[in-house]
Amino acid sequence: MLPTENRLRRREDFATAVRRGRRAGRPLLVVHLRSGATDPHAPGESAPPTRAGFVVSKAVGGAVTRNQVKRRLRHLIRERLSELPPGSLVVVRALPGAGDADHAQLARDLDAALQRLLGGGAR
């Protein structure tokens, strides 16, 4: 389970991450990352937590399949929160093939996308 403070819930936050963030696509998913834009030297400001949200459409499969994909992605992101910059917004959008993929395949695609976004890989 993803802790409450790390969940992306508001529509505006999803829109900010998708429209203003960087994007990395893989065969099973697309990851949007909006790095934290807070000033670390501002007085009295603590770094906000990294928040993540998920978009799993009906193209992925039925309700059971979609929920299974969301649970797997939540678990994978939870393990990787410490690698992301504080205050970041992350949106993971599952593509239709994600419904048939196993945990290891989703992990491999998520790691590759995050590495590209954090490492500044070529487009």
Side-chain angles (χ1 to χ4, degrees):
M1 177 71 74
L2 196 61
T4 303
E5 65 270 6
N6 297 117
R7 294 182 195 164
L8 200 58
R9 294 183 177 179
R10 294 185 359 199
R11 180 180 180 152
E12 298 83 25
D13 293 337
F14 275 88
T16 298
V18 171
R19 291 184 185 142
R20 296 189 180 151
R22 297 182 62 211
R23 180 183 71 213
R26 303 295 306 154
L28 299 176
L29 45 87
V30 176
V31 179
H32 299 270
L33 174 68
R34 168 82 169 155
S35 294
T38 59
D39 181 9
H41 303 293
E45 296 270 336
S46 61
T50 299
R51 294 181 294 153
F54 307 93
V55 178
V56 184
S57 73
K58 287 185 180 180
V60 173
V64 173
T65 304
R66 290 195 312 270
N67 285 320
Q68 184 178 35
V69 169
K70 277 189 273 191
R71 283 194 305 270
R72 287 178 177 169
L73 290 173
R74 266 196 304 262
H75 179 74
L76 291 169
I77 281 288
R78 181 178 176 204
E79 295 174 347
R80 291 154 180 81
L81 282 176
S82 61
E83 302 169 13
L84 300 170
S88 296
L89 302 178
V90 180
V91 173
V92 180
R93 182 167 45 98
L95 297 176
D100 299 326
D102 64 2
H103 189 78
Q105 291 170 318
L106 287 173
R108 190 170 43 250
D109 272 10
L110 181 61
D111 286 337
L114 288 174
Q115 181 179 9
R116 182 173 171 188
L117 289 170
L118 296 173
R123 290 191 129 190

